[in-house]
Amino acid sequence: MSSNEKKMKYRVDIVNTCIATGLPLTVRSTAVQIFDRAIGKIIPKDEEMINILYAIIILAAKCEEIHGDLNALIRKLPDSNKQKIFDYEDEILQVLGYNLHFPSLYLRIYGILTILQEKGIIEVTNAHIDLNVSIDGKSNEIYTFHNNKWIVPCINNLWLTSVQMMDKILLHEKTGYKEIEMVYASLPFPCEAFTLLSFPFDAKNVTELRNACVKIPFSLYNPENISM
């Protein structure tokens, strides 16, 4: 397994662990970004990676001010070693230079959707986002195009589709891509819709990210699929 393949596998483990333990999207995003920033500066043995990844997740939860019993969270993590997790957390903090600012790409999705609605670029029939809803198998239609705007019949289908796409984007090497390009790539609308906004981006990069996500060989959303 190549270095890049290992990194992608570890990102998958982070995402699946966050899902399995019920941590919110902000923790998922922050944990992967901590991994990307820190992992090249830590040279662990393979058998230690499980506790390093757990330390990253615990640190991400603290960054996002997740209130609750961290000991209870650690107990949910299979084969975890509490002392090693805290030791690695200190090491990761030092590697990061105690810089704990990480943008939430999922919140950026929400923000862009709001702007698209405010500008009349998209029109949402049902505008209430339920973060716990499952995609309705009766209707897979995300949007239609009518009267020069994109009509979204169900915001929940759009939201969950975008979240799942962002999960896949987080698995990739993201060097060279702007934050806004990752957000646009997660949304199913054509790049034409985003040219009406004021944020500069390269449509080629958006397309590359989308195409790369199609080729992901890993399965997400399976709590039993956590391989360390």
Side-chain angles (χ1 to χ4, degrees):
M1 187 180 292
S2 70
S3 174
N4 283 340
E5 288 173 335
K6 278 189 175 182
K7 287 181 181 178
M8 183 178 285
K9 173 188 173 297
Y10 291 140
R11 293 186 190 106
V12 170
D13 291 336
I14 288 171
V15 171
N16 273 331
T17 301
C18 289
I19 293 170
T21 52
L23 289 168
L25 295 174
T26 51
V27 174
R28 201 182 302 178
S29 171
T30 297
V32 172
Q33 290 179 79
I34 290 174
F35 172 85
D36 286 344
R37 193 185 296 179
I39 198 60
K41 302 173 184 177
I42 299 175
I43 307 176
K45 297 178 181 178
D46 286 344
E47 60 267 23
E48 289 298 311
M49 278 306 299
I50 184 170
N51 286 305
I52 290 176
L53 297 185
Y54 287 162
I56 287 172
I57 291 168
I58 294 297
L59 181 56
K62 291 179 179 179
C63 287
E64 298 303 328
E65 299 182 353
I66 301 303
H67 301 289
D69 185 354
L70 287 179
N71 288 320
L73 174 57
I74 291 173
R75 286 194 293 271
K76 293 181 181 179
L77 303 174
D79 302 318
S80 60
N81 182 305
K82 180 179 176 181
Q83 187 56 53
K84 286 185 177 181
I85 288 173
F86 289 149
D87 289 343
Y88 279 123
E89 183 183 356
D90 288 339
E91 184 176 348
I92 292 165
L93 277 169
Q94 293 178 42
V95 165
L96 295 174
Y98 299 92
N99 178 4
L100 300 178
H101 172 70
F102 299 96
S104 174
L105 296 171
Y106 298 97
L107 291 181
R108 296 290 192 275
I109 294 174
Y110 186 90
I112 291 297
L113 284 176
T114 300
I115 294 172
L116 289 171
Q117 290 181 72
E118 289 176 347
K119 290 184 173 294
I121 298 170
I122 67 173
E123 180 179 313
V124 180
T125 304
N126 175 9
H128 173 67
I129 290 182
D130 180 355
L131 300 183
N132 297 314
V133 74
S134 298
I135 293 179
D136 184 357
K138 297 178 182 178
S139 175
N140 293 321
E141 187 176 72
I142 304 299
Y143 66 83
T144 57
F145 189 72
H146 182 67
N147 288 338
N148 292 319
K149 67 173 62 176
W150 287 267
I151 310 298
V152 179
C154 179
I155 192 66
N156 287 316
N157 281 2
L158 171 59
W159 173 251
L160 287 178
T161 298
S162 301
V163 166
Q164 291 172 1
M165 190 66 165
M166 181 57 77
D167 283 346
K168 292 182 178 182
I169 289 170
L170 285 173
L171 303 184
H172 282 277
E173 291 294 332
K174 294 167 282 295
T175 304
Y177 296 109
K178 295 179 181 178
E179 179 185 317
I180 194 64
E181 290 168 347
M182 290 186 275
V183 172
Y184 286 169
S186 72
L187 293 164
F189 304 109
C191 288
E192 177 188 352
F194 308 127
T195 60
L196 302 172
L197 303 182
S198 59
F199 309 110
F201 73 101
D202 187 333
K204 180 182 177 182
N205 286 344
V206 173
T207 301
E208 282 182 356
L209 280 169
R210 288 175 173 173
N211 290 340
C213 288
V214 174
K215 302 174 184 177
I216 287 182
F218 298 101
S219 175
L220 296 176
Y221 301 97
N222 182 1
E224 297 180 355
N225 188 34
I226 302 172
S227 56
M228 297 294 183

